[in-house]
mmCIF file of all heavy atoms in Angstrom:
data_model
loop_
_atom_site.group_PDB
_atom_site.id
_atom_site.type_symbol
_atom_site.label_atom_id
_atom_site.label_comp_id
_atom_site.label_asym_id
_atom_site.label_seq_id
_atom_site.Cartn_x
_atom_site.Cartn_y
_atom_site.Cartn_z
ATOM 1 N N ALA A 1008 45.190 39.940 -39.149
ATOM 2 C CA ALA A 1008 44.690 40.570 -37.867
ATOM 3 C C ALA A 1008 43.384 41.331 -38.094
ATOM 4 O O ALA A 1008 42.456 41.294 -37.373
ATOM 5 C CB ALA A 1008 45.706 41.592 -37.302
ATOM 6 N N ASP A 1009 43.235 42.048 -39.255
ATOM 7 C CA ASP A 1009 42.027 42.843 -39.567
ATOM 8 C C ASP A 1009 40.667 42.008 -39.581
ATOM 9 O O ASP A 1009 39.723 42.303 -39.137
ATOM 10 C CB ASP A 1009 42.112 43.777 -40.710
ATOM 11 C CG ASP A 1009 42.399 42.977 -42.087
ATOM 12 O OD1 ASP A 1009 43.037 41.880 -41.939
ATOM 13 O OD2 ASP A 1009 42.040 43.537 -43.154
ATOM 14 N N VAL A 1010 40.885 40.826 -40.244
ATOM 15 C CA VAL A 1010 39.727 39.874 -40.317
ATOM 16 C C VAL A 1010 39.403 39.205 -39.030
ATOM 17 O O VAL A 1010 38.344 39.243 -38.640
ATOM 18 C CB VAL A 1010 39.966 38.864 -41.442
ATOM 19 C CG1 VAL A 1010 38.886 37.818 -41.395
ATOM 20 C CG2 VAL A 1010 40.242 39.433 -42.773
ATOM 21 N N VAL A 1011 40.398 38.799 -38.311
ATOM 22 C CA VAL A 1011 40.252 38.247 -37.055
ATOM 23 C C VAL A 1011 39.591 39.205 -36.014
ATOM 24 O O VAL A 1011 38.736 38.854 -35.211
ATOM 25 C CB VAL A 1011 41.564 37.607 -36.469
ATOM 26 C CG1 VAL A 1011 41.432 37.031 -35.078
ATOM 27 C CG2 VAL A 1011 41.971 36.481 -37.380
ATOM 28 N N LEU A 1012 40.231 40.467 -35.990
ATOM 29 C CA LEU A 1012 39.699 41.454 -35.127
ATOM 30 C C LEU A 1012 38.146 41.795 -35.404
ATOM 31 O O LEU A 1012 37.309 42.028 -34.634
ATOM 32 C CB LEU A 1012 40.530 42.714 -35.247
ATOM 33 C CG LEU A 1012 41.885 42.590 -34.463
ATOM 34 C CD1 LEU A 1012 42.554 43.931 -34.785
ATOM 35 C CD2 LEU A 1012 41.650 42.490 -33.077
ATOM 36 N N ASP A 1013 37.909 41.829 -36.683
ATOM 37 C CA ASP A 1013 36.529 42.143 -37.198
ATOM 38 C C ASP A 1013 35.580 41.113 -36.584
ATOM 39 O O ASP A 1013 34.501 41.490 -36.075
ATOM 40 C CB ASP A 1013 36.274 42.297 -38.648
ATOM 41 C CG ASP A 1013 34.980 42.553 -39.178
ATOM 42 O OD1 ASP A 1013 34.486 43.624 -38.693
ATOM 43 O OD2 ASP A 1013 34.408 41.747 -39.874
ATOM 44 N N ILE A 1014 35.855 39.903 -36.910
ATOM 45 C CA ILE A 1014 34.876 38.772 -36.431
ATOM 46 C C ILE A 1014 34.926 38.688 -35.020
ATOM 47 O O ILE A 1014 33.807 38.523 -34.289
ATOM 48 C CB ILE A 1014 35.153 37.445 -37.040
ATOM 49 C CG1 ILE A 1014 34.029 36.456 -36.733
ATOM 50 C CG2 ILE A 1014 36.434 36.877 -36.562
ATOM 51 C CD1 ILE A 1014 32.672 36.800 -37.240
ATOM 52 N N GLY A 1015 36.020 38.946 -34.340
ATOM 53 C CA GLY A 1015 36.067 39.026 -32.812
ATOM 54 C C GLY A 1015 35.200 40.142 -32.322
ATOM 55 O O GLY A 1015 34.360 39.862 -31.270
ATOM 56 N N HIS A 1016 35.194 41.281 -32.912
ATOM 57 C CA HIS A 1016 34.336 42.324 -32.452
ATOM 58 C C HIS A 1016 32.867 42.064 -32.577
ATOM 59 O O HIS A 1016 32.031 42.272 -31.718
ATOM 60 C CB HIS A 1016 34.757 43.653 -33.160
ATOM 61 C CG HIS A 1016 33.944 44.897 -32.925
ATOM 62 N ND1 HIS A 1016 33.002 45.377 -33.640
ATOM 63 C CD2 HIS A 1016 34.007 45.623 -31.788
ATOM 64 C CE1 HIS A 1016 32.429 46.396 -32.997
ATOM 65 N NE2 HIS A 1016 33.028 46.630 -31.789
ATOM 66 N N ARG A 1017 32.543 41.509 -33.771
ATOM 67 C CA ARG A 1017 31.127 41.099 -33.966
ATOM 68 C C ARG A 1017 30.691 40.021 -33.031
ATOM 69 O O ARG A 1017 29.533 40.041 -32.559
ATOM 70 C CB ARG A 1017 30.931 40.727 -35.415
ATOM 71 C CG ARG A 1017 31.153 41.955 -36.414
ATOM 72 C CD ARG A 1017 30.823 41.703 -37.816
ATOM 73 N NE ARG A 1017 31.753 40.810 -38.467
ATOM 74 C CZ ARG A 1017 31.429 39.793 -39.298
ATOM 75 N NH1 ARG A 1017 30.077 39.550 -39.559
ATOM 76 N NH2 ARG A 1017 32.249 38.863 -39.726
ATOM 77 N N ILE A 1018 31.471 39.028 -32.720
ATOM 78 C CA ILE A 1018 31.222 38.028 -31.790
ATOM 79 C C ILE A 1018 30.993 38.558 -30.425
ATOM 80 O O ILE A 1018 30.078 38.190 -29.638
ATOM 81 C CB ILE A 1018 32.111 36.780 -31.886
ATOM 82 C CG1 ILE A 1018 31.888 36.138 -33.182
ATOM 83 C CG2 ILE A 1018 31.971 35.943 -30.729
ATOM 84 C CD1 ILE A 1018 32.915 34.981 -33.459
ATOM 85 N N ALA A 1019 31.856 39.521 -30.006
ATOM 86 C CA ALA A 1019 31.791 40.208 -28.687
ATOM 87 C C ALA A 1019 30.552 40.954 -28.673
ATOM 88 O O ALA A 1019 29.864 40.869 -27.575
ATOM 89 C CB ALA A 1019 32.992 41.066 -28.565
ATOM 90 N N MET A 1020 30.022 41.655 -29.680
ATOM 91 C CA MET A 1020 28.821 42.333 -29.568
ATOM 92 C C MET A 1020 27.644 41.273 -29.462
ATOM 93 O O MET A 1020 26.660 41.478 -28.765
ATOM 94 C CB MET A 1020 28.569 43.134 -30.857
ATOM 95 C CG MET A 1020 29.514 44.412 -30.880
ATOM 96 S SD MET A 1020 29.101 45.529 -32.189
ATOM 97 C CE MET A 1020 29.139 44.638 -33.664
ATOM 98 N N HIS A 1021 27.813 40.189 -30.230
ATOM 99 C CA HIS A 1021 26.744 39.143 -30.102
ATOM 100 C C HIS A 1021 26.696 38.579 -28.556
ATOM 101 O O HIS A 1021 25.619 38.487 -28.064
ATOM 102 C CB HIS A 1021 26.979 37.943 -30.957
ATOM 103 C CG HIS A 1021 26.156 36.830 -30.705
ATOM 104 N ND1 HIS A 1021 24.905 36.710 -31.276
ATOM 105 C CD2 HIS A 1021 26.286 35.703 -29.917
ATOM 106 C CE1 HIS A 1021 24.360 35.485 -30.860
ATOM 107 N NE2 HIS A 1021 25.174 34.906 -30.004
ATOM 108 N N ILE A 1022 27.834 38.312 -27.972
ATOM 109 C CA ILE A 1022 27.847 37.842 -26.687
ATOM 110 C C ILE A 1022 27.263 38.789 -25.636
ATOM 111 O O ILE A 1022 26.496 38.391 -24.765
ATOM 112 C CB ILE A 1022 29.346 37.361 -26.243
ATOM 113 C CG1 ILE A 1022 29.787 36.173 -27.079
ATOM 114 C CG2 ILE A 1022 29.389 37.149 -24.677
ATOM 115 C CD1 ILE A 1022 31.218 35.970 -26.979
ATOM 116 N N ALA A 1023 27.541 40.077 -25.866
ATOM 117 C CA ALA A 1023 26.958 41.107 -24.946
ATOM 118 C C ALA A 1023 25.471 41.170 -25.112
ATOM 119 O O ALA A 1023 24.723 41.236 -24.034
ATOM 120 C CB ALA A 1023 27.508 42.487 -25.429
ATOM 121 N N ALA A 1024 24.925 40.954 -26.258
ATOM 122 C CA ALA A 1024 23.460 40.871 -26.425
ATOM 123 C C ALA A 1024 22.785 39.653 -26.084
ATOM 124 O O ALA A 1024 21.584 39.703 -25.585
ATOM 125 C CB ALA A 1024 23.144 41.249 -28.005
ATOM 126 N N SER A 1025 23.374 38.526 -26.413
ATOM 127 C CA SER A 1025 22.698 37.229 -26.236
ATOM 128 C C SER A 1025 23.105 36.425 -24.979
ATOM 129 O O SER A 1025 22.453 35.398 -24.648
ATOM 130 C CB SER A 1025 23.001 36.352 -27.531
ATOM 131 O OG SER A 1025 22.484 37.109 -28.644
ATOM 132 N N ALA A 1026 24.234 36.849 -24.333
ATOM 133 C CA ALA A 1026 24.595 36.126 -23.004
ATOM 134 C C ALA A 1026 24.661 34.576 -23.179
ATOM 135 O O ALA A 1026 24.089 33.927 -22.286
ATOM 136 C CB ALA A 1026 23.727 36.612 -21.914
ATOM 137 N N PRO A 1027 25.442 33.986 -24.033
ATOM 138 C CA PRO A 1027 25.489 32.588 -24.111
ATOM 139 C C PRO A 1027 26.424 32.093 -22.830
ATOM 140 O O PRO A 1027 26.998 32.971 -22.166
ATOM 141 C CB PRO A 1027 26.428 32.293 -25.326
ATOM 142 C CG PRO A 1027 27.166 33.558 -25.571
ATOM 143 C CD PRO A 1027 26.232 34.680 -25.046
ATOM 144 N N THR A 1028 26.331 30.782 -22.580
ATOM 145 C CA THR A 1028 26.942 30.304 -21.359
ATOM 146 C C THR A 1028 28.225 29.537 -21.790
ATOM 147 O O THR A 1028 29.174 29.544 -21.086
ATOM 148 C CB THR A 1028 26.017 29.364 -20.611
ATOM 149 O OG1 THR A 1028 24.768 30.072 -20.330
ATOM 150 C CG2 THR A 1028 26.645 28.939 -19.308
ATOM 151 N N TRP A 1029 28.162 28.819 -22.888
ATOM 152 C CA TRP A 1029 29.338 27.966 -23.335
ATOM 153 C C TRP A 1029 29.574 28.340 -24.860
ATOM 154 O O TRP A 1029 28.759 28.675 -25.537
ATOM 155 C CB TRP A 1029 28.906 26.451 -23.237
ATOM 156 C CG TRP A 1029 28.724 26.108 -21.767
ATOM 157 C CD1 TRP A 1029 29.730 25.851 -20.927
ATOM 158 C CD2 TRP A 1029 27.504 25.925 -21.045
ATOM 159 N NE1 TRP A 1029 29.153 25.508 -19.711
ATOM 160 C CE2 TRP A 1029 27.891 25.526 -19.738
ATOM 161 C CE3 TRP A 1029 26.150 26.000 -21.353
ATOM 162 C CZ2 TRP A 1029 26.882 25.343 -18.778
ATOM 163 C CZ3 TRP A 1029 25.188 25.717 -20.447
ATOM 164 C CH2 TRP A 1029 25.538 25.391 -19.110
ATOM 165 N N VAL A 1030 30.813 27.981 -25.292
ATOM 166 C CA VAL A 1030 31.216 28.222 -26.589
ATOM 167 C C VAL A 1030 30.586 27.125 -27.567
ATOM 168 O O VAL A 1030 30.026 27.462 -28.547
ATOM 169 C CB VAL A 1030 32.755 28.106 -26.829
ATOM 170 C CG1 VAL A 1030 33.149 28.275 -28.259
ATOM 171 C CG2 VAL A 1030 33.449 29.304 -25.974
ATOM 172 N N SER A 1031 30.775 25.947 -27.166
ATOM 173 C CA SER A 1031 30.215 24.781 -28.034
ATOM 174 C C SER A 1031 29.437 23.853 -27.197
ATOM 175 O O SER A 1031 29.583 23.859 -25.932
ATOM 176 C CB SER A 1031 31.398 24.160 -28.752
ATOM 177 O OG SER A 1031 32.220 23.484 -27.840
ATOM 178 N N LEU A 1032 28.795 22.930 -27.833
ATOM 179 C CA LEU A 1032 28.017 21.836 -27.293
ATOM 180 C C LEU A 1032 28.758 20.995 -26.389
ATOM 181 O O LEU A 1032 28.436 20.574 -25.246
ATOM 182 C CB LEU A 1032 27.305 21.066 -28.355
ATOM 183 C CG LEU A 1032 26.141 20.169 -27.987
ATOM 184 C CD1 LEU A 1032 25.125 20.962 -27.348
ATOM 185 C CD2 LEU A 1032 25.614 19.469 -29.241
ATOM 186 N N GLU A 1033 30.103 20.712 -26.829
ATOM 187 C CA GLU A 1033 31.015 19.867 -25.998
ATOM 188 C C GLU A 1033 31.444 20.512 -24.742
ATOM 189 O O GLU A 1033 31.955 19.839 -23.860
ATOM 190 C CB GLU A 1033 32.229 19.600 -26.881
ATOM 191 C CG GLU A 1033 31.968 18.737 -28.103
ATOM 192 C CD GLU A 1033 31.330 19.544 -29.216
ATOM 193 O OE1 GLU A 1033 31.506 20.787 -29.330
ATOM 194 O OE2 GLU A 1033 30.678 18.949 -30.121
ATOM 195 N N ASP A 1034 31.258 21.820 -24.646
ATOM 196 C CA ASP A 1034 31.670 22.481 -23.383
ATOM 197 C C ASP A 1034 30.657 22.384 -22.196
ATOM 198 O O ASP A 1034 30.955 22.665 -21.060
ATOM 199 C CB ASP A 1034 31.874 24.007 -23.650
ATOM 200 C CG ASP A 1034 33.029 24.185 -24.525
ATOM 201 O OD1 ASP A 1034 33.964 23.375 -24.592
ATOM 202 O OD2 ASP A 1034 33.060 25.262 -25.322
ATOM 203 N N ILE A 1035 29.395 21.970 -22.512
ATOM 204 C CA ILE A 1035 28.427 21.900 -21.492
ATOM 205 C C ILE A 1035 28.686 20.602 -20.629
ATOM 206 O O ILE A 1035 28.863 19.490 -21.138
ATOM 207 C CB ILE A 1035 27.012 21.638 -22.138
ATOM 208 C CG1 ILE A 1035 26.587 22.879 -22.954
ATOM 209 C CG2 ILE A 1035 25.962 21.526 -20.976
ATOM 210 C CD1 ILE A 1035 25.324 22.763 -23.710
ATOM 211 N N PRO A 1036 28.836 20.770 -19.368
ATOM 212 C CA PRO A 1036 29.089 19.593 -18.469
ATOM 213 C C PRO A 1036 27.948 18.560 -18.496
ATOM 214 O O PRO A 1036 26.820 18.895 -18.681
ATOM 215 C CB PRO A 1036 29.108 20.188 -17.007
ATOM 216 C CG PRO A 1036 29.420 21.671 -17.288
ATOM 217 C CD PRO A 1036 28.813 22.086 -18.492
ATOM 218 N N ALA A 1037 28.393 17.368 -18.536
ATOM 219 C CA ALA A 1037 27.483 16.261 -18.775
ATOM 220 C C ALA A 1037 26.374 16.256 -17.602
ATOM 221 O O ALA A 1037 25.291 15.946 -17.864
ATOM 222 C CB ALA A 1037 28.252 14.903 -18.643
ATOM 223 N N GLU A 1038 26.721 16.684 -16.401
ATOM 224 C CA GLU A 1038 25.736 16.690 -15.448
ATOM 225 C C GLU A 1038 24.681 17.781 -15.637
ATOM 226 O O GLU A 1038 23.529 17.630 -15.373
ATOM 227 C CB GLU A 1038 26.379 16.868 -14.023
ATOM 228 C CG GLU A 1038 27.137 18.141 -13.776
ATOM 229 C CD GLU A 1038 28.530 18.004 -14.181
ATOM 230 O OE1 GLU A 1038 29.010 17.042 -14.736
ATOM 231 O OE2 GLU A 1038 29.253 18.985 -13.884
ATOM 232 N N VAL A 1039 25.058 18.892 -16.401
ATOM 233 C CA VAL A 1039 24.110 19.872 -16.696
ATOM 234 C C VAL A 1039 23.119 19.362 -17.700
ATOM 235 O O VAL A 1039 21.870 19.560 -17.577
ATOM 236 C CB VAL A 1039 24.747 21.222 -17.241
ATOM 237 C CG1 VAL A 1039 23.792 22.144 -17.851
ATOM 238 C CG2 VAL A 1039 25.580 21.746 -16.094
ATOM 239 N N VAL A 1040 23.550 18.684 -18.688
ATOM 240 C CA VAL A 1040 22.839 18.029 -19.784
ATOM 241 C C VAL A 1040 21.860 16.994 -19.110
ATOM 242 O O VAL A 1040 20.591 16.923 -19.435
ATOM 243 C CB VAL A 1040 23.657 17.427 -20.910
ATOM 244 C CG1 VAL A 1040 22.800 16.650 -21.870
ATOM 245 C CG2 VAL A 1040 24.435 18.538 -21.527
ATOM 246 N N ALA A 1041 22.387 16.165 -18.317
ATOM 247 C CA ALA A 1041 21.623 15.159 -17.617
ATOM 248 C C ALA A 1041 20.500 15.679 -16.783
ATOM 249 O O ALA A 1041 19.311 15.305 -16.854
ATOM 250 C CB ALA A 1041 22.517 14.218 -16.680
ATOM 251 N N GLU A 1042 20.801 16.775 -16.026
ATOM 252 C CA GLU A 1042 19.714 17.453 -15.171
ATOM 253 C C GLU A 1042 18.701 18.054 -16.024
ATOM 254 O O GLU A 1042 17.431 17.965 -15.858
ATOM 255 C CB GLU A 1042 20.350 18.551 -14.300
ATOM 256 C CG GLU A 1042 21.087 17.915 -13.188
ATOM 257 C CD GLU A 1042 21.963 18.994 -12.365
ATOM 258 O OE1 GLU A 1042 21.555 20.178 -12.554
ATOM 259 O OE2 GLU A 1042 22.841 18.638 -11.606
ATOM 260 N N LYS A 1043 19.143 18.741 -17.082
ATOM 261 C CA LYS A 1043 18.175 19.340 -18.043
ATOM 262 C C LYS A 1043 17.268 18.359 -18.644
ATOM 263 O O LYS A 1043 15.975 18.495 -18.824
ATOM 264 C CB LYS A 1043 18.847 20.239 -19.024
ATOM 265 C CG LYS A 1043 17.982 21.143 -19.869
ATOM 266 C CD LYS A 1043 17.306 22.157 -19.063
ATOM 267 C CE LYS A 1043 16.496 23.106 -19.994
ATOM 268 N NZ LYS A 1043 15.856 24.156 -19.171
ATOM 269 N N ARG A 1044 17.858 17.270 -19.190
ATOM 270 C CA ARG A 1044 17.101 16.194 -19.766
ATOM 271 C C ARG A 1044 16.141 15.579 -18.869
ATOM 272 O O ARG A 1044 14.895 15.334 -19.149
ATOM 273 C CB ARG A 1044 18.017 15.064 -20.326
ATOM 274 C CG ARG A 1044 17.321 13.930 -21.058
ATOM 275 C CD ARG A 1044 18.332 12.952 -21.548
ATOM 276 N NE ARG A 1044 19.186 13.408 -22.610
ATOM 277 C CZ ARG A 1044 18.956 13.600 -23.860
ATOM 278 N NH1 ARG A 1044 17.725 13.357 -24.292
ATOM 279 N NH2 ARG A 1044 19.906 14.058 -24.689
ATOM 280 N N ALA A 1045 16.506 15.290 -17.583
ATOM 281 C CA ALA A 1045 15.521 14.752 -16.581
ATOM 282 C C ALA A 1045 14.396 15.706 -16.272
ATOM 283 O O ALA A 1045 13.233 15.194 -16.260
ATOM 284 C CB ALA A 1045 16.306 14.492 -15.288
ATOM 285 N N ALA A 1046 14.673 17.015 -16.144
ATOM 286 C CA ALA A 1046 13.603 17.922 -15.917
ATOM 287 C C ALA A 1046 12.617 17.980 -17.110
ATOM 288 O O ALA A 1046 11.402 18.031 -16.932
ATOM 289 C CB ALA A 1046 14.189 19.336 -15.648
ATOM 290 N N LEU A 1047 13.217 18.041 -18.333
ATOM 291 C CA LEU A 1047 12.398 18.176 -19.558
ATOM 292 C C LEU A 1047 11.516 16.902 -19.665
ATOM 293 O O LEU A 1047 10.372 16.868 -20.193
ATOM 294 C CB LEU A 1047 13.147 18.431 -20.771
ATOM 295 C CG LEU A 1047 13.909 19.733 -20.777
ATOM 296 C CD1 LEU A 1047 14.795 19.836 -22.060
ATOM 297 C CD2 LEU A 1047 12.739 20.850 -21.041
ATOM 298 N N THR A 1048 12.096 15.701 -19.405
ATOM 299 C CA THR A 1048 11.489 14.430 -19.476
ATOM 300 C C THR A 1048 10.289 14.309 -18.508
ATOM 301 O O THR A 1048 9.192 13.952 -18.849
ATOM 302 C CB THR A 1048 12.409 13.233 -19.262
ATOM 303 O OG1 THR A 1048 13.467 13.260 -20.158
ATOM 304 C CG2 THR A 1048 11.740 11.950 -19.259
ATOM 305 N N GLU A 1049 10.501 14.810 -17.248
ATOM 306 C CA GLU A 1049 9.401 14.908 -16.291
ATOM 307 C C GLU A 1049 8.337 15.764 -16.753
ATOM 308 O O GLU A 1049 7.084 15.449 -16.638
ATOM 309 C CB GLU A 1049 9.919 15.227 -14.906
ATOM 310 C CG GLU A 1049 8.969 15.314 -13.840
ATOM 311 C CD GLU A 1049 8.243 13.952 -13.596
ATOM 312 O OE1 GLU A 1049 8.900 12.830 -13.760
ATOM 313 O OE2 GLU A 1049 7.062 13.992 -13.183
ATOM 314 N N GLU A 1050 8.683 16.928 -17.233
ATOM 315 C CA GLU A 1050 7.688 17.890 -17.761
ATOM 316 C C GLU A 1050 6.840 17.342 -18.857
ATOM 317 O O GLU A 1050 5.626 17.438 -18.866
ATOM 318 C CB GLU A 1050 8.367 19.137 -18.184
ATOM 319 C CG GLU A 1050 7.522 20.326 -18.622
ATOM 320 C CD GLU A 1050 8.339 21.387 -19.138
ATOM 321 O OE1 GLU A 1050 9.189 21.959 -18.295
ATOM 322 O OE2 GLU A 1050 8.132 21.983 -20.314
#
């Protein structure tokens, strides 16, 4: 528990500071990736 709580606390501080949207790459909806890719391609 002490090790898990420690990394959990440090990750929580990171999330507070960095405001991620998803945990992992696989969590991003395919339509979000497609829309972002299309916008970046056009640009």
Side-chain angles (χ1 to χ4, degrees):
D1009 59 332
V1010 175
V1011 176
L1012 286 172
D1013 179 60
I1014 190 65
H1016 182 251
R1017 292 187 295 135
I1018 288 174
M1020 289 191 304
H1021 170 86
I1022 292 167
S1025 301
T1028 308
W1029 295 282
V1030 173
S1031 66
L1032 198 55
E1033 295 77 23
D1034 295 333
I1035 303 175
E1038 60 272 8
V1039 170
V1040 174
E1042 287 173 14
K1043 188 68 175 178
R1044 183 180 296 279
L1047 291 172
T1048 300
E1049 181 57 35
E1050 181 182 307

